[in-house]
Structures are given as C-alpha cells and as structure tokens.
Amino acid sequence: MNIVVLVKPVPDPACYDRIEIDPATGVLERQGMPAVLNPADRHALEAALALSERFGGRVTMVSMAPDSAAETLMEGLAMGADEACILSDRIFAGSDSLATSRVLAAGIRKIGAFDLVLAGNESADGGTAHVPSQVGELLGVSHLANVTRLEVGADGRVEARTRIENGYIEVEGALPMVVGVKREINTPRYTSLMGVLAAQSKPVRVWGACDLGIDAACVGMEGSGMRPGRLTRPEYGRKGERIEGSPEEVSRRVVAILRAQGILG
Amino acid sequence: MPDRQPAIWVVAEQMPGRLAPVSLEILGQAGRLASEAGGREVAALLLGHGVGAFAEELLAFGADKVHLVEDPRLELYQNDTYGAVLSKLILRERPDVVLFGASAVGEELAPTVAARLDTGLGAHCTNLGMRPDGTLTMGVLGFGGRVHTEMFCPSMRPQMASVKPGMFQPPPRSETGGKIVREDGAVLLSDVEIRLRTVKVVREEPEGMPLEQAEVVVAGGWGVGGKENWRILTELARELSGAVGCTRPALDEGWTAGEHTMIGTSGKTVRPKVYIGVGISGSPHHTVGIKDAGVIISVNSDPRAPVFECSDYRVVADFRKILSPLLAEIRRAKGPIS
Amino acid sequence: MPELKFTQQQEMLRKAVREFVEKEVKPVARRIDTENHFPADLFRKMGQLGFVGVFVPQQYGGAGLGQTERAIILEELGRHAAGFAMALMTHHLGVEAILAYGTEEQKRKHLPDLATGKKISGLAVTEATGGSDVAGQLATAARENGDWVINGRKCFITNSSNAEINVITARTGEDAKGRPAFSAFIVESGMEGFSPGREEDKLGLRGSSTGDLLLNNCRVGDAYLLGGEGNGMRMALALFTKIGRTGMAAIGLGIIRACLEEGVKFAKERVLYGKPLSKLQAIQFEIAQIRIDYEAARLLTYHSIALREGGAGADAEIAAAKYYATEGAVRAAKRTMDLMGGYGVINEYPVGRYLRDALTTISCGGTSHIMQIIIAGQTLN
C-alpha cells in the first residue's frame, strides 16, 4: 500500500504568545520561532505507519515548505516514514488553500500511484481545514474530513467515522481516498532511538515548480483567489477589577457578583 | 445571458431532525450584508429528503427565497452528492456570495464546493462585511487566535466564506413571505458519480448542559494541573447549574469530558451570564470564545497572565485555596436545603 | 578549539527522550519517590524505544551509540526522576561489564534482554568493609569440582531486589605479590544460594531499590566467570569511571537543570511587594549561581565523556565532573528551596525531592572525598 502523508511545518504552537505584528508594515513577525511538525499531522503519520505495518508498502511525506523544512521533516522520518518530498519554490509563496492544494496534488502525482493520502485535519497556524477536501477534489478521488476512525480492508474498502457536533457519521467508500484525520483518531507513537538513527539515511527530495510541471499562474499569490488584507491583534479588553483578600473574603465577593447577575437568586 | 441581480446565498444545514443553529446565524448575517450592499436577494439552499418544513423556517428567519432540493439520495449528508448539487446550482444561478456555517459538515462541504468552482474561500470567519463595491470582507483568526486577518476574494466568483458557529445571534423570526423553489434532485444528481455511502448519522447527546446554553460556565485550563483537581470545577458548575468548559491544553491532558467542551478558536463560542476561568492563562485561542460573555471572573496565580486583560474581575491566587471556600460560600448563600 | 556542540542526531535523540519522559515519567515522578516504586513498565517501554541499550552494539540488540548519547538519556531522565535514572545508570554497569569483558557466548546470552529492558542488571562490589576500599572485600569464590562456590554479603547495591543479572566481585586468590586478587561473576536471580537481602530506606534517589545481596554457597559454573580469573579489581575500577561516575554526573546535571527550570518558573510567577520575585536582586543572584553551576556541570560532564570516548583515560576529568555536578545539584536544590520560601518545604513541590536526590548522589559511585583523592592523585603524579 502506498500512502502519502501531507505534513506542514508550523511555528511551534507553544510560542504563539510571542507572535507580533509590525505596526508599521502590518507584517507578521515570527523570527526565531522554532518550527515543529503540525501536531495533527503526527496523528496522520501514525495512522499511515500503522496501516503500512499491516499491509506493507511505503509511507511518503509531502510538504509544501521552504527547503529548510528538511530538519522538521526529520521528525517524521524518525517516527518511521520512508521518505520525504519537499515542494519548494519562491512562486509558491502567498498561496491560499486551493493554490496550496494544487501544489500538493502535483507533488502527489509526481510521486506516482497512491492508495491513500492522509493529512492532519487542520494546521495549528492557519487552521483552514480545507486542504484534505481540496486535494481530493483536484486528484479526482473521494475524500473525507474530520475522520476519527478509519478502517481499511485488504480489498481497499474503507469504513470511516467522521465527527460532527454532538455525534458522528459512519461512511463507507473505497481506496484511493484522501482522508483528513482528527487528533483523537490515535495516539502517535514515541520516536525510538532506532528511528532517529534510521532517519539520517532516508531520502529527502526537494522539487520546485519546474520539477512539478506546474503553471505559475495557478499557484502563489497569482493563483490564489483569496488575498490577505490588514493584520491586527484582536483585543478583547475589559476593566479587570482585582478581588483581594482572604479566600473567604474573595468567596463572598464572587457570590455577590453572581447574585448581581441573577445567578443564585 | 441577462444580468442577474447579485444574490447572497446561505447553505443551510439540516441534521436529521432540525436545522443547525449556525444556519440561522449566517442567515441573519446574509440579511445584514444584503442591506449594507443597498438591497440584495438573500436565498437559502436546503438539501435533504422530507425537509420541506425547514424550508418554511428559513423563509421565516429572513430568506427571500429557498432553493429546496429533495431526493432520497440526499437524505443523509455526504460530500460528493451535496458538493455536486451545490456546485451545479451555483453555476446556474451565479450568486455573488455564498456563506456556509463552519460546522463539521460545512468545514468539509465548503472547500469541496470551492475547489469545484475554482474560487476562494474564507475559513471560520468571525466577522463579515460588505464594501460599497460589493467586495465581501472576511475576518479570519490565525495562530491560535493571536492574529486577525481581513481576507477578501477580489476576482473569483462567487465569494465564499464559512462562518464560525456561535459568533452571531440568529435573526428575529418574522413572517414576511418569500418563495420556495423546488429543484429537481433527480436531474441534479443524474450524472454524478457517487463513490461514498453514508451509512448512518448518530446523535450522541452529551450529558450535562450544553455549553452554549449555560448561564454559568466554569472553565479550566492547564493551571488546574490534573484530573483530580478537575473535580472541583465540576462541583462548582453543578452548584451553579452551569456547564464545564476547557481550553485546548487541558483537553490534551485528558482531564476533561471531551472536545465538545473546549472553548476557543477551534472550539465552542459561549455567551454565559457569568464565566469563571480557573488556571487559564488566556491565550487568544481561548479568549475569542468568551469575548461576548456577560461577566468574566478569572482565577490564576500568575498576576501577569494575559487572561486578566480581558476579565472583569481578577483573582490572583492559587485556585486550590479559593474554590473550596467559594463552594462553601455558594452553598451557604443557597440556603440550608440544597 | 571547537565549541561543545551536539550533532543533529544527538539533538533529535534528546528531543525523543524528553518527549517520552515528559509524557510518561513526569506524571508519576512524585509517586516513584513517595512509594519507592520502581516503574518496571516504563523501563520496558524505554527498552523498546532503544533508550536502555543505547551503547550496546546493534548485533546484541542495542542502538550501537556511545556514552554521550547515554549521558543525554540519563540527564533527561534525571531531570524529572533521578531515582529512576539511578536504576538505569546502575543497570548500565552490569551491561558494560558483560559487553567489555564477556565472552561472545556470554554477550549473546545476556545482552539482548538487557539491552531491550526485558531484564535488569546491577554491579555488586561494595561491602560493609567499604565501597572505596575495593581491596578490602571479604566475599570469596572458591574452586570446587570445576565450579565456583561464592560466599559473602554485598551492601548498598542498587537494583538489588529486582536485578535478574548481577555482576558480583569476590576474592578468588592472591596475585604474584601476595595481595588479594578478585574475579567477577555473573549470578542470576533465582540461583540457589543467592538472594537479595534487606532493602534500605533511602533519603533520596528513591524508586531504585538499594540493599544487600547474600551469597551462601552459591555455586556457578565456569560459564559464569566474567573477564577471566583475577581481573575483578581492574574491571570494577574501569566500570566505576567509564560508567558509574559519568552516569552520576549526568544525573546530577539533570537535577541542576530541574532546579534551574523550577526556580525560574517560581521566580516569574510568585508576586511579593507587588512585583514578581524575579525583580529582586537577591533572587537574581541565586538564579545566576544555579545557572553558573549548570553551565559548568554541563561542560565538565560532556567534555570528560568525550575525552574518554576519544581514548583518553580522563580519570581526573570524569571525577571532576561527578564531583561538580553532584555537589552543584545540592547547591542548586538548596538555593531553589530558599528562593521558594515556604513553598520550598511543601512536598507538593518537587524541590524537596531534588535536594534529597542530590544529597544521595554524593555517595553514589564514589563520594566527593574520593573524587578529590582521584583528582589529586592524577594531578600530583
């Protein structure tokens, strides 16, 4: 079984508090923020590794990212992926989710035949959750998002559960398929020492627009329907009166506030 | 082709039994955008089987027109049938704007349609606006709610957006007429390759009060420190007949009732009368979900926790010293029998 | 001279270990200490991830890396659970004894299970007559009908109650100058005449069992003699340096880092006189001192290990690292406890455990006095 896992290096979510917007240029400042594998992608990778252990085959990571991303993708190779393909080109910059999906689809086509494409449902920084559905549409195969349970049969039959508010949907389909998984689908394995060692010698390919045969007009800013405007920092300011005193004094004050709001009568 | 008056479309969502609340919320927004643009037609799209009553509801909540598509194959949602039908209707009628609720279904359906139509899509928008020239402005949060970006789609049409549930209030109900256009589901599905099969849709009503309806929300974060400590939050919520919410870090640690109790950018938006946050630092991811709460009381031992910047009342203390006396005081206030 | 810099592989290793320790060990660290509970399930999991057999060659089931990687693992583990790290540290003594001095048959028989964490080992040299007085051992092993019969009592042996494979030294005769000669033996738990004795209730480094081993006419065949007759003393001393002291240094370093991280966190969060504690110069001085100890211990530890890996004896450097990292851990823990005020002596906070663990490291692998004797000896020669 040939499985592709779409991964995205994102600035470490633990550092999002440090993100600043330059007031003069309105541009995002994220210098010096370490990059990690998008947390949801590790769950996608785990699902891929579990399936390849059952059925045999290769697990290939594909990422649209600058070529410095090789270091972050090593994490995935250490977890057990067989190889990584980085799709990197200056003209990809500024891509919205559909343009990104075009690049990823081109990368997947270049890798060759695939049975399953897995992706984390959304990325920690942008969080559009569009990519799995749009890559599926562009590749012309069936696709599912918000998947919390995935069963694949040897005959290629797929049974999946997708989460909705207050419930779930049971869906049937068949490979080939693109699946966006939620984090609750599994617990990613720990990286072993052996994995760290093996990662060093696994192939990491870098492909640009020319290698992918992709038209500049359909990627990057030029190929994106969406345009970003002003960036601002959302402010939800409130007056913040401090309640001081002993725990008993604080409790009495809080009860008074609750009373004033009509709670506790 | 005669010039059509640009319309604003709302894709309504019906889960077996009822219209999703977010459908009414975005219908209200469509009405507002229509009047900001100087008067436009607002049409709702409803797909399903035996859902005529919901079409009437949509008219009552402000739709000028409802395109109703019924077919047994549309009874249960799946992205290939719904995606195909919506795309065809949009291509035929050419609305200027199409809005989806960013529910789990909308999160999948909207990008599916956007890819088919080769147009842009604003995701999980927290606000919408209409410029005089007809450009839709879409407010989108990123980096865990830390950055707000105004997005727009200058040249592709339709302009599409999915809207975060709970950001807006539903419009008032009024019987102002409007018409239901019955589309031929069989024709719309005739040449569609249906590869998926939705077997069933299962509703699991969570125990306890849904967060969105609670008058009091007690929320816990990373600072709570453990599952045992979490119990006192549950007790507090119960005494106040409220609901318990959480932040992403607490959810990840496994202390909470589940993802449906997470409040934040990628979780629920709540509007209780009183919100009590415990051990929550106040990352924008979470605070965007409570920004419209009535009164916000935050308890955190770190005096510089960002949460205090958006709280009405700050209690700088170790919650373990505060919550037990608070519970006792609440019980005392409720009287001898409680 | 090049800076001390870890390779990308070593950084990835550290990250992988840290993730495991934070998710699996940190939540049970307090319980390991209060209940003196050895988390055998975590030891096995670590074995499966390759962390236990880090320096065992791949042909015997290990990862085939070196002492630097081992130290990284001990540092990361020691940061949250120094007692558990101590058990792993000691396990490595037995592992290296077999790896460096065993026959091919002994290696193939014992190393795979030890490398993967299925079995635990220990090294038993110390007796009531003293730990540093290696030549004063009273345990004997006498030749009898082609076997060895071992008698004696070992004390303060870590992993005493749970090690399946014990490497034990005993007196087997005299050398050419009439001085006692010692040999090492592999003794497996369950063998007749061998049993763990009383277990000690330690002040710190709890979570690893430390106690007596009793040998009462314990009979073993020639296949259990390790490293050849008469080599016991030489083997023990080499193991103490290469594995014991380096390991203790790494654990001490982990404790210093724990104190630094907890101290900084507390100083930033605790508010006194309307400001965080970190604004007060007195507190800043304490933090600076802990930082200095951390940087120095880190360099001494990894540099001395690198020297040894490169072929130098590095006895003095390794002793200096052990001395500095463990004494530094005691200082760091006391400073952190002081800056935390009342909270420092509340057991809910880990700093009390850090101090107890640090104090206990002083007497493991040779006391600070012994370290100074070693350093002076090498310096004055």
Side-chain angles (χ1 to χ4, degrees):
Chain A
M1 182 174 287
N2 286 325
I3 307 176
V4 171
V5 182
L6 301 177
V7 301
K8 183 179 181 188
V10 296
D12 191 343
C15 300
Y16 284 170
D17 283 342
R18 289 198 253 138
I19 288 180
E20 295 296 337
I21 300 167
D22 186 322
T25 61
V27 164
L28 210 53
E29 302 242 338
R30 37 174 165 165
Q31 292 292 35
M33 221 165 281
V36 297
L37 221 50
N38 177 38
D41 296 346
R42 302 184 98 219
H43 295 260
L45 196 43
E46 171 60 36
L49 293 170
L51 283 169
S52 82
E53 276 162 7
R54 234 174 95 204
F55 293 112
R58 283 181 81 75
V59 173
T60 306
M61 291 189 295
V62 173
S63 184
M64 186 181 96
D67 27 3
S68 57
E71 200 181 313
T72 313
L73 295 188
M74 287 290 262
E75 276 178 50
L77 294 176
M79 253 179 92
D82 296 296
E83 60 183 292
C85 297
I86 303 177
L87 312 176
S88 170
D89 201 302
R90 270 182 312 116
I91 66 166
F92 296 159
S95 294
D96 66 1
S97 55
L98 188 52
T100 302
S101 300
R102 285 194 199 102
V103 175
L104 292 170
I108 294 169
R109 275 188 223 108
K110 185 168 170 69
I111 287 168
F114 66 91
D115 298 289
L116 180 61
V117 178
L118 289 166
N121 211 69
E122 66 272 312
S123 63
D125 56 354
T128 64
H130 293 168
V131 166
S133 309
Q134 296 191 324
V135 167
E137 286 293 322
L138 292 168
L139 290 173
V141 302
S142 35
H143 53 87
L144 288 171
N146 286 317
V147 171
T148 56
R149 203 184 277 189
L150 184 68
E151 307 277 343
V152 178
D155 56 356
R157 299 285 315 152
V158 173
E159 282 172 26
R161 178 182 283 202
T162 71
R163 189 150 52 64
I164 55 171
E165 291 74 20
N166 302 331
Y168 56 87
I169 302 179
E170 305 263 2
V171 191
E172 282 175 3
L175 300 181
M177 196 185 272
V178 178
V179 176
V181 304
K182 301 290 284 185
R183 291 168 68 162
E184 67 201 72
I185 193 173
N186 58 33
T187 304
R189 61 194 61 187
Y190 289 115
T191 301
S192 72
L193 226 162
M194 293 70 85
V196 168
L197 291 173
Q200 309 293 318
S201 48
K202 290 179 178 172
V204 176
R205 287 189 270 225
V206 181
W207 288 330
C210 290
D211 302 299
L212 296 173
I214 202 165
D215 185 359
C218 61
V219 298
M221 284 253 281
E222 210 189 314
S224 296
M226 297 303 288
R227 285 266 191 280
R230 258 177 5 119
L231 270 69
T232 49
R233 202 124 62 88
E235 303 287 348
Y236 308 117
R238 293 193 183 210
K239 65 185 192 318
E241 178 191 321
R242 191 149 164 171
I243 304 180
E244 314 247 66
S246 68
E248 288 70 30
E249 287 166 331
V250 169
S251 304
R252 281 195 286 275
R253 186 85 173 81
V254 171
V255 165
I257 293 166
L258 288 167
R259 278 228 157 87
Q261 293 302 310
I263 317 287
L264 291 185
Chain B
M1 165 110 73
D3 258 351
R4 291 176 195 269
Q5 176 72 344
I8 299 179
W9 277 20
V10 163
V11 176
E13 181 182 329
Q14 53 81 15
M15 279 317 217
R18 55 171 206 168
L19 265 180
V22 67
S23 300
L24 299 180
E25 291 164 17
I26 57 177
L27 193 49
Q29 290 307 298
R32 173 180 65 83
L33 293 169
S35 50
E36 270 176 29
R40 297 239 183 134
E41 182 182 74
V42 172
L45 274 79
L46 184 64
L47 279 60
H49 186 58
V51 293
F54 295 142
E56 301 283 351
E57 282 292 285
L58 290 166
L59 288 179
F61 280 97
D64 301 312
K65 187 193 279 184
V66 177
H67 293 269
L68 177 62
V69 189
E70 294 198 276
D71 188 279
R73 286 167 293 179
L74 295 174
E75 178 169 9
L76 298 178
Y77 163 80
Q78 48 192 79
N79 63 57
D80 48 7
T81 51
Y82 276 52
V85 168
L86 284 176
S87 304
K88 282 186 184 172
L89 284 174
I90 293 170
L91 281 171
R92 193 189 79 196
E93 298 293 321
R94 302 199 175 281
D96 190 50
V97 172
V98 181
L99 303 178
F100 293 75
S103 57
V105 162
E107 267 186 346
E108 187 191 53
L109 185 54
T112 301
V113 171
R116 284 174 184 241
L117 300 177
D118 200 20
T119 186
L121 172 62
H124 302 102
C125 300
T126 54
N127 54 69
L128 296 171
M130 186 70 93
R131 289 189 187 159
D133 64 355
T135 306
L136 180 71
T137 60
M138 307 174 241
V140 163
L141 290 174
F143 294 99
R146 181 95 181 161
V147 177
H148 177 279
T149 311
E150 200 176 61
M151 308 282 301
F152 51 105
C153 187
S155 38
M156 318 282 211
R157 289 291 179 270
Q159 304 172 84
M160 290 182 32
S162 74
V163 179
K164 188 177 191 315
M167 292 308 300
F168 304 108
Q169 303 275 32
R173 202 201 159 90
S174 65
E175 312 292 341
T176 50
K179 75 174 184 169
I180 296 175
V181 175
R182 292 187 167 275
E183 306 284 350
D184 192 332
V187 165
L188 287 165
L189 284 168
S190 59
D191 59 350
V192 174
E193 191 191 346
I194 303 175
R195 288 185 279 214
L196 297 170
R197 186 174 88 86
T198 293
V199 174
K200 61 178 169 174
V201 175
V202 175
R203 292 223 148 257
E204 288 169 325
E205 290 309 330
E207 54 176 80
M209 160 119 33
L211 271 172
E212 299 92 326
Q213 290 165 28
E215 288 200 328
V216 176
V217 168
V218 178
W222 174 256
V224 173
K227 209 163 182 163
E228 267 150 45
N229 293 340
W230 201 264
R231 261 186 246 133
I232 200 170
L233 299 183
T234 318
E235 260 188 81
L236 184 57
R238 203 180 315 132
E239 283 294 336
L240 296 171
S241 304
V244 180
C246 69
T247 62
R248 161 66 78 187
L251 171 73
D252 284 345
E253 288 300 313
W255 304 332
T256 75
E259 190 153 349
H260 63 278
T261 63
M262 184 178 73
I263 299 170
T265 322
S266 57
K268 296 267 167 75
T269 304
V270 297
R271 255 195 222 93
K273 278 188 181 168
V274 176
Y275 162 96
I276 302 175
V278 178
I280 292 177
S281 64
S283 92
H285 176 275
H286 176 69
T287 55
V288 75
I290 59 170
K291 72 175 179 71
D292 291 325
V295 168
I296 296 178
I297 304 172
S298 292
V299 181
N300 194 304
S301 57
D302 177 0
R304 294 163 320 148
V307 74
F308 290 135
E309 299 305 311
C310 56
S311 304
D312 295 294
Y313 297 98
R314 24 178 124 181
V315 178
V316 182
D318 182 341
F319 75 94
R320 287 170 291 191
K321 298 197 161 53
I322 297 292
L323 291 195
S324 295
L326 179 58
L327 255 174
E329 189 63 33
I330 288 169
R331 286 178 179 137
R332 224 189 324 269
K334 282 165 83 168
I337 309 154
S338 70
Chain C
M1 80 181 275
E3 58 167 295
L4 173 75
K5 198 169 154 75
F6 294 106
T7 63
Q8 186 197 38
Q9 189 173 276
Q10 286 165 342
E11 295 288 9
M12 282 180 69
L13 164 67
R14 184 185 286 276
K15 201 168 170 189
V17 177
R18 187 172 294 189
E19 196 189 311
F20 177 86
V21 170
E22 283 179 356
K23 289 216 174 92
E24 299 276 344
V25 179
K26 182 179 171 184
V28 296
R30 187 159 174 218
R31 184 182 161 227
I32 290 173
D33 177 61
T34 50
E35 294 176 21
N36 198 18
H37 161 75
F38 173 74
D41 57 331
L42 294 182
F43 187 80
R44 257 190 309 277
K45 272 190 190 173
M46 284 171 57
Q48 283 161 2
L49 294 171
F51 301 153
V52 171
V54 54
F55 58 85
V56 175
Q58 291 186 358
Q59 70 198 107
Y60 302 117
L65 293 171
Q67 294 303 320
T68 302
E69 286 81 6
R70 176 212 177 214
I72 291 172
I73 293 170
L74 285 174
E75 182 200 328
E76 290 300 320
L77 192 53
R79 169 8 185 151
H80 283 288
F84 185 22
M86 182 67 193
L88 177 61
M89 199 307 284
T90 307
H91 169 75
H92 288 152
L93 284 166
V95 170
E96 173 70 7
I98 297 172
L99 178 61
Y101 306 107
T103 62
E104 189 56 38
E105 211 180 298
Q106 286 168 329
K107 288 192 263 198
R108 266 196 244 119
K109 181 178 177 192
H110 297 293
L111 286 180
D113 280 345
L114 293 175
T116 54
K118 288 205 195 88
K119 287 191 180 167
I120 301 174
S121 69
L123 175 67
V125 177
T126 303
E127 298 183 15
T129 50
S132 46
D133 183 12
V134 180
Q137 288 175 69
L138 295 176
T140 56
R143 221 47 176 120
E144 208 183 273
N145 300 334
D147 288 335
W148 297 89
V149 178
I150 313 174
N151 277 285
R153 186 177 134 239
K154 298 292 182 183
C155 313
F156 295 130
I157 305 303
T158 300
N159 296 346
S160 58
S161 69
N162 56 357
E164 287 100 341
I165 308 286
N166 295 278
V167 176
I168 298 179
T169 53
R171 186 174 161 161
T172 46
E174 283 175 3
D175 67 5
K177 294 196 181 136
R179 294 175 303 195
F182 302 90
S183 305
F185 297 89
I186 298 173
V187 178
E188 297 187 45
S189 60
M191 278 177 165
E192 207 182 309
F194 168 76
S195 64
R198 56 171 275 153
E199 217 180 303
E200 305 293 355
D201 180 22
K202 301 203 298 282
L203 172 75
L205 295 181
R206 293 166 65 80
S208 54
S209 67
T210 302
D212 287 359
L213 288 181
L214 306 169
L215 298 121
N216 198 352
N217 291 326
C218 177
R219 180 181 289 269
V220 301
D222 254 343
Y224 289 86
L225 174 66
L226 181 63
E229 195 181 336
N231 271 322
M233 172 86 99
R234 193 174 59 82
M235 284 166 55
L237 296 177
L239 290 169
F240 291 159
T241 303
K242 183 178 175 188
I243 303 290
R245 287 165 200 154
T246 52
M248 293 317 301
I251 294 174
L253 177 61
I255 297 173
I256 300 177
R257 205 180 89 217
C259 295
L260 186 58
E261 288 172 3
E262 292 295 327
V264 164
K265 180 167 177 274
F266 186 86
K268 283 183 174 173
E269 284 178 359
R270 176 86 172 122
V271 172
L272 273 185
Y273 317 116
K275 285 181 297 188
L277 217 55
S278 56
K279 296 290 183 203
L280 298 170
Q281 272 196 337
I283 302 300
Q284 290 171 1
F285 290 161
E286 299 296 326
I287 297 287
Q289 288 294 326
I290 300 172
R291 176 74 190 274
I292 292 168
D293 276 339
Y294 169 72
E295 294 294 339
R298 180 171 168 264
L299 288 169
L300 276 170
T301 301
Y302 287 108
H303 180 63
S304 64
I305 291 172
L307 283 174
R308 182 82 177 200
E309 292 281 86
D315 287 341
E317 288 86 346
I318 288 173
K322 194 269 172 182
Y323 173 90
Y324 199 89
T326 52
E327 293 286 352
V330 173
R331 282 194 297 273
K334 174 72 163 59
R335 286 190 211 280
T336 307
M337 186 174 273
D338 286 348
L339 74 85
M340 284 177 74
Y343 292 98
V345 294
I346 304 293
N347 280 334
E348 226 171 301
Y349 293 86
V351 70
R353 180 176 88 234
Y354 298 160
L355 181 56
R356 285 186 287 109
D357 287 343
L359 288 167
T360 313
T361 62
I362 303 299
S363 58
C364 296
T367 63
S368 293
H369 292 138
I370 298 297
M371 294 304 107
Q372 290 173 82
I373 290 173
I374 294 170
I375 296 165
Q378 202 258 350
T379 310
L380 291 167
N381 268 344

